[in-house]
Amino acid sequence: MKKIYVLKHKKIKAVLLAITAILFHKSAFIFLPFIFVANLKLSKIGIFFLVVLLCVFSFSPLGEVIFSSVGNSLGQVKYVNYAKSSAVLNFFYVFEGFSLLALISHYKEKFNFNIQYRIIFNGIIVYCLLVILGITNATLIRLSWYYFMFICLGLPIIYFFIHDIKLRKTFKIVIFVYYLFLFFRLLFLFDSGDFMPYKNIFQDFDRNGIWEFREYR
């Protein structure tokens, strides 16, 4: 429903729907700003400056100060803890964020040709920006998860944008291998390699892992 409102530029109705969703779960707040950028035609220069700005946030204490202030004002100690940067560069996030940005920018004009494609394009841009924001803070990467659906929608579209059959097959194999690697990496490394997914829809019990204190309850 919110997608229809966004497509028809009915921002007020979309905002009201988002606020209603926030009453059910605070995580819906993450989508609220997207309503105002979903239909925009983002320029490559504008995207570049956003990337530079978020890199400054990631590599300086500025980002931690701002997020901590927001957490304190909301009275959420957990958010303050999330804001604390590990100061360790995560190369997987660097690779994924900048690779996706380069890929999606290459097909920018084709995505902008269709209003629905443009929303998906902007969603992928937001995803990449949030990944870059979290390259020194693994917990902030949680923000990007909510926009991963745009990756799921956008990559198949890019697949059909590719006219060369061999290149199309290579693209499909690379995407499959990359996300397969990420999945098994998570199974090996999360909770000392207990081979239990972080979350799954069939889980009807408390995981009680080493990161349980950061769970939403």
Side-chain angles (χ1 to χ4, degrees):
M1 183 66 72
K2 186 166 71 173
K3 176 184 176 182
I4 296 175
Y5 290 149
V6 171
L7 282 172
K8 294 182 177 180
H9 298 275
K10 296 181 178 179
K11 290 186 173 61
I12 295 178
K13 290 185 177 181
V15 169
L16 290 175
L17 189 61
I19 292 174
T20 303
I22 292 172
L23 297 177
F24 287 92
H25 200 288
K26 293 179 181 178
S27 62
F29 179 78
I30 298 172
F31 278 110
L32 193 56
F34 184 69
I35 295 173
F36 301 96
V37 301
N39 292 308
L40 293 181
K41 282 190 175 182
L42 302 175
S43 66
K44 290 184 179 180
I45 295 178
I47 295 171
F48 172 77
F49 280 111
L50 285 173
V51 170
V52 172
L53 178 63
L54 291 180
C55 283
V56 172
F57 273 86
S58 297
F59 290 104
S60 71
L62 184 60
E64 182 177 338
V65 170
I66 292 176
F67 284 115
S68 295
S69 299
V70 172
N72 285 321
S73 63
L74 295 174
Q76 295 287 339
V77 177
K78 185 181 292 186
Y79 296 165
V80 176
N81 291 332
Y82 287 168
K84 294 179 180 178
S85 175
S86 63
V88 176
L89 183 65
N90 192 307
F91 291 100
F92 286 102
Y93 297 151
V94 173
F95 172 78
E96 181 173 333
F98 286 97
S99 295
L100 282 172
L101 270 178
L103 177 65
I104 196 69
S105 296
H106 181 72
Y107 294 98
K108 177 179 177 295
E109 297 306 321
K110 290 188 175 181
F111 272 97
N112 279 330
F113 182 76
N114 181 295
I115 182 62
Q116 295 190 46
Y117 283 4
R118 188 190 308 162
I119 292 176
I120 295 173
F121 173 86
N122 290 342
I124 295 176
I125 293 297
V126 174
Y127 174 86
C128 293
L129 294 175
L130 290 174
V131 168
I132 292 172
L133 181 63
I135 56 180
T136 59
N137 189 324
T139 51
L140 287 181
I141 285 295
R142 286 180 170 213
L143 299 178
S144 69
W145 296 352
Y146 296 93
Y147 286 87
F148 187 74
M149 63 178 181
F150 292 107
I151 303 297
C152 298
L153 293 170
L155 290 179
I157 294 173
I158 293 176
Y159 174 81
F160 287 107
F161 282 163
I162 301 173
H163 299 295
D164 186 288
I165 301 300
K166 290 184 178 180
L167 184 59
R168 181 182 286 185
K169 289 181 178 179
T170 302
F171 176 78
K172 181 170 64 175
I173 293 172
V174 169
I175 296 300
F176 176 79
V177 171
Y178 175 72
Y179 285 106
L180 186 67
F181 170 77
L182 288 185
F183 176 73
F184 280 103
R185 177 177 177 269
L186 179 64
L187 294 184
F188 275 111
L189 298 182
F190 198 85
D191 270 358
S192 303
D194 62 5
F195 260 67
M196 290 178 62
Y198 174 63
K199 287 290 184 185
N200 66 76
I201 60 175
F202 305 108
Q203 184 173 313
D204 59 355
F205 57 90
D206 290 336
R207 197 172 192 277
N208 296 323
I210 60 176
W211 306 109
E212 195 69 17
F213 70 98
R214 289 188 172 178
E215 286 299 311
Y216 292 104
R217 292 287 183 248

